[in-house]
Amino acid sequence: MPVPAPRPVGPAARCSAVLFSPWSRLSLLAVLLAAAATMVALHEPQRLITQGWRPPLAGGGALALFALAYGLGTAALVPRPVLNLASGALFGAALGTAAAVAGTVLGAGLAFGLGRLLGQDALRPLLRGRWLAAGDRQLSRRGFRSMLVLRVLPGIPFAVSNYGASVSRMRWSAFLAATALGCVPNTAAYAVAGSQASAPTSPVFLVAAAFIAVPGLAAAVVAWRRRARLRGSGTPASAVGRTTERTVDRTTDQATDQTAAGAPGRAVTGPVRANPRRSPAVSLPVPDRT
């Protein structure tokens, strides 16, 4: 049966293949993130805390609009602590926490979708290192539990965890559920602190500030102790092997010299092997027959 000849690829098809290639989409994602970071630096979102926010709506509409702006801002690399404090300062502790949690889930979903659409195909072939491969397996197989730990632990950048998780094969449902559940404690603490920003010496503000600071300090201490322990206990295996060989050689030479000095005749010694797993040759005195 004759095989049909392949159809010629036109310029439009070649251009489409180049534009929608994995690296082209990754480049588009990098451009979008750079533009978003530039906009954040120019508009200074921290002014929400000092100058307030005057939305065109009131009540529930204002909360929904703030949650939408919160989600877009976090996807555009706006720091979450600033937005969390602003939510508490604008709407109070309870409503501010609700708006911030909704915005967190929305922003995480936007970042996860952008990373999966534009960056996953280009970055997955690069996960060849031992640590990168282990992290990918953990997120892909135990997505909910792994993401929940990342959300609860302090000090992990929100954007990094979002875009990093998008490269794995984690399910959407696990990612969003873990984000919604894990962000509540930290978000609520920031919202309470923001609601009491006008009275920084009040007990409520001090408790919220302690709830924010203590886990971060504890995580830093644990990381520092583990790093110091790894540095103090780590002796390279090659160095241990070389030290053992030198010790065996030195001990064998001393034993051979002592045997030769104390024997009444000639001492015939065999070759000494440096491998500690094999028994060294034994020196036996041979009587002089002359």
Side-chain angles (χ1 to χ4, degrees), residues 130-142:
R130 183 178 63 177
W131 295 107
L132 293 176
D136 175 64
R137 287 194 300 270
Q138 184 71 20
L139 290 174
S140 300
R141 297 175 183 176
R142 300 176 178 87

Side-chain angles (χ1 to χ4, degrees), residues 212-277:
I212 295 170
V214 170
L217 293 176
V221 170
V222 170
W224 180 80
R225 292 186 62 181
R226 287 187 177 181
R227 183 180 179 183
R229 188 180 305 170
L230 290 175
R231 283 184 174 181
S233 62
T235 301
S238 58
V240 174
R242 289 193 297 269
T243 305
T244 304
E245 288 183 6
R246 287 196 297 267
T247 305
V248 171
D249 291 342
R250 190 181 301 110
T251 305
T252 306
D253 292 341
Q254 292 175 357
T256 303
D257 295 341
Q258 292 175 0
T259 305
R266 294 180 289 108
V268 179
T269 59
V272 178
R273 302 183 182 273
N275 191 349
R277 291 177 298 179

